[in-house]
Amino acid sequence: LKARGSNWAGRSIMPGAHGSGCGCKDEQEFLGVQQSLLPWIDVDNVVALNEDIPNSGRSLFRPYELRLDDSKLVESPEGDQELLVLVPFTSPVKLTALTVIGGDGGTAPSRVSLYINREDIDFSSVADIAPTQELDLVEDFHGAVQLPTRAAKFINVTHLALLFPASFGQERSRIHWIGLWGVGSEHKRQAVVTVYESVPNAADHKVDDKAAPMQDAA
């Protein structure tokens, strides 16, 4: 595994590198009563809209022990920070948390908007859809931070869209790994074929920050 940040000077501990104080956790310690939802993700049909390299989106979803492989990434084009990642599940899941490993040097996404069970969502429609939840992200280079969802809003999820509208200051966004945590089910779903607008139109999609109030999970 390469240590992310090797091209950036002035850091005593490189992002993504193992070592004393690196922040890494054992997967069982990390999950607690949750589980990785990777077995329920239809990885072959994951789509990342506005990705610079075609079909790179599915590489974001891989086992926890492979999360620091920096050769796997999705990046937006230079001068455009937005990415929209569309994740189908093979059966309904309850989503309780997510983890995002972003790029270094200010390329990590700074925010994510989550939308559930909208298989028609793309850059032409996202501005007209209220997100299920919005989360501020942190620059997490080890996958050590779980961001909890309002779990009562994320029951019976068959499709998840993640809109990353901006980075931490750079002109593009880069993501190396996404971890989704929760509880899976055995009920299989049927696939739906959808055609997406893959490139954002700046005039179309300003995301509404005023989502409806949400109830926390009991």
Side-chain angles (χ1 to χ4, degrees):
L1 303 182
K2 296 188 297 181
R4 184 157 57 259
S6 57
N7 294 328
W8 295 88
R11 292 179 179 171
S12 57
I13 299 178
M14 299 299 182
H18 287 294
S20 177
C22 74
C24 292
K25 298 181 180 180
D26 178 81
E27 184 173 10
Q28 292 306 312
E29 175 191 358
F30 191 63
L31 291 179
V33 297
Q34 303 175 102
Q35 61 190 141
S36 169
L37 294 177
L38 181 61
W40 287 270
I41 296 174
D42 185 2
V43 176
D44 288 340
N45 288 306
V46 168
V47 175
L49 304 183
N50 203 37
E51 59 186 3
D52 200 28
I53 300 174
N55 301 316
S56 56
R58 63 194 65 170
S59 71
L60 295 175
F61 299 94
R62 55 189 190 275
Y64 182 80
E65 62 270 18
L66 301 178
R67 70 195 184 283
L68 300 183
D69 182 356
D70 291 354
S71 68
K72 310 294 186 182
L73 61 91
V74 171
E75 194 169 43
S76 65
E78 186 70 35
D80 189 346
Q81 302 173 35
E82 291 185 295
L83 288 167
L84 181 57
V85 181
L86 308 176
V87 185
F89 295 95
T90 58
S91 61
V93 301
K94 178 179 180 180
L95 177 67
T96 58
L98 73 156
T99 301
V100 179
I101 298 180
D104 64 355
T107 61
S110 60
R111 191 168 181 80
V112 62
S113 297
L114 306 176
Y115 305 80
I116 65 167
N117 300 341
R118 291 298 304 257
E119 300 191 32
D120 59 334
I121 196 169
D122 61 13
F123 280 117
S124 69
S125 61
V126 68
D128 300 320
I129 302 172
T132 309
Q133 186 173 353
E134 295 180 300
L135 294 167
D136 290 322
L137 302 177
V138 297
E139 291 184 289
D140 175 13
F141 301 116
H142 304 99
V145 178
Q146 272 193 355
L147 300 167
T149 67
R150 299 192 178 197
K153 293 289 185 178
F154 291 86
I155 298 171
N156 292 323
V157 179
T158 59
H159 188 277
L160 177 69
L162 304 97
L163 174 65
F164 300 94
S167 68
F168 279 98
Q170 288 299 314
E171 292 301 313
R172 70 195 316 169
S173 295
R174 184 184 305 133
I175 304 171
H176 288 275
W177 183 77
I178 297 175
L180 301 178
W181 318 107
V183 181
S185 71
E186 299 303 321
H187 178 71
K188 298 297 182 182
R189 63 186 293 271
Q190 294 183 341
V192 175
V193 177
T194 308
V195 177
Y196 301 105
E197 180 199 353
S198 61
V199 178
N201 182 334
D204 287 345
H205 60 280
K206 179 181 179 183
V207 178
D208 186 0
D209 289 334
K210 297 180 179 179
M214 303 174 186
Q215 179 181 352
D216 288 318

